[in-house]
Every structure is written in structure tokens, then in C-alpha cells.
Amino acid sequence: MHIDDVRDGDELERTVAAFVRGPNDGLIVLGGPRSNAQRDRITAMIARHRIPAVYAARYFVTAGGLISYGPDLVDQYRGAAGYVDRIFKGEQPANLPVQAPVKYELAISLNAKALGIEVPPALLARADEVIE
């Protein structure tokens, strides 16, 4: 399933329903303009169909998703601010190195029990945030 190919809410519902009918064990939802804009609807549909899903960012978990693992966006914004500062001080943007994220965060919702999933205590202990 590719959320960015979906144009409206009805098509999103059909896409999720078609995914559920297939032989799938879980879902990975990547961030993108459409999935970010419809995160409440996406997480609600996936939860309603009781599909275990991993999301690309913490804000999907706060919207009702199960688990997320991805770059720490606040850390990314801080890094971007450092680049802006360097450019204002005269560095050429073309001379600045491209950097991969350094810090990643794991967020887990305790709603896992509603899906019949037992999250291991060791995984909960490693989470940066556990959301009730």
C-alpha cells in the first residue's frame, strides 16, 4: 500500500480495506506530505482494522498509532538552524556537508493490548517515550 498514491479519504479507506484482505502481518507507514496531513485518519483506520503498524515519526503515535521509529525531528531542526547560522556568517551553502540524522527516537503506545500485542518489557525500557 502506498499512501502517497491515494488522492482522497474514500480511496484511502479502500486501500486500507484491500490491504486488510491480503495475507499481511503488519504495515510500515512512511512520512510524506499526504500521510502527514491525514495522520489522524490513517491511524484511526489502521487501528479500526486492528493492523499492527510502525510509523516514521512520533506524531503518528500521539495521533493513535502503535509504534514509531525515526529521526528525532527536533534534533533535525536544531541542525538546520546551525546551517542557517553558518550561511548568515558567510559560508556558501554548496560547501556545507549533507548530514544524515544522528539521533533517532522510539515511541510506543500502550494501545498495543487492544491489538492483542504484548510489547516486551525490554523494548518498553528502550523507548524514548511510552504514550498511554
Side-chain angles (χ1 to χ4, degrees):
M1 176 172 76
H2 218 264
I3 296 294
D4 277 345
D5 293 338
V6 175
R7 300 287 177 218
D8 61 34
D10 292 335
E11 190 174 353
L12 179 62
E13 182 66 46
R14 288 190 302 274
T15 303
V16 171
F19 178 82
V20 170
R21 288 190 298 270
N24 302 296
D25 295 326
L27 183 62
I28 298 172
V29 179
L30 302 175
R34 288 194 183 100
S35 59
N36 291 347
Q38 296 192 47
R39 69 178 165 259
D40 292 331
R41 188 174 203 172
I42 291 168
T43 55
M45 269 190 266
I46 290 172
R48 185 173 65 247
H49 289 290
R50 297 178 51 110
I51 303 169
V54 176
Y55 299 88
R58 177 189 165 281
Y59 50 78
F60 281 98
V61 178
T62 59
L66 175 62
I67 187 170
S68 70
Y69 184 73
D72 181 334
L73 296 178
V74 173
D75 190 55
Q76 293 286 290
Y77 294 140
R78 283 188 190 117
Y83 270 40
V84 170
D85 181 56
R86 290 169 67 179
I87 291 167
F88 281 157
K89 290 179 179 174
E91 285 193 54
Q92 294 297 314
N95 296 334
L96 296 174
V98 174
Q99 294 183 342
V102 176
K103 185 177 176 188
Y104 290 82
E105 64 181 353
L106 172 65
I108 301 172
S109 171
L110 292 180
N111 292 336
K113 291 183 182 181
L115 294 173
I117 297 171
E118 183 67 35
V119 178
L123 185 58
L124 287 172
R126 288 180 162 228
D128 295 296
E129 186 172 6
V130 176
I131 299 170
E132 294 189 42

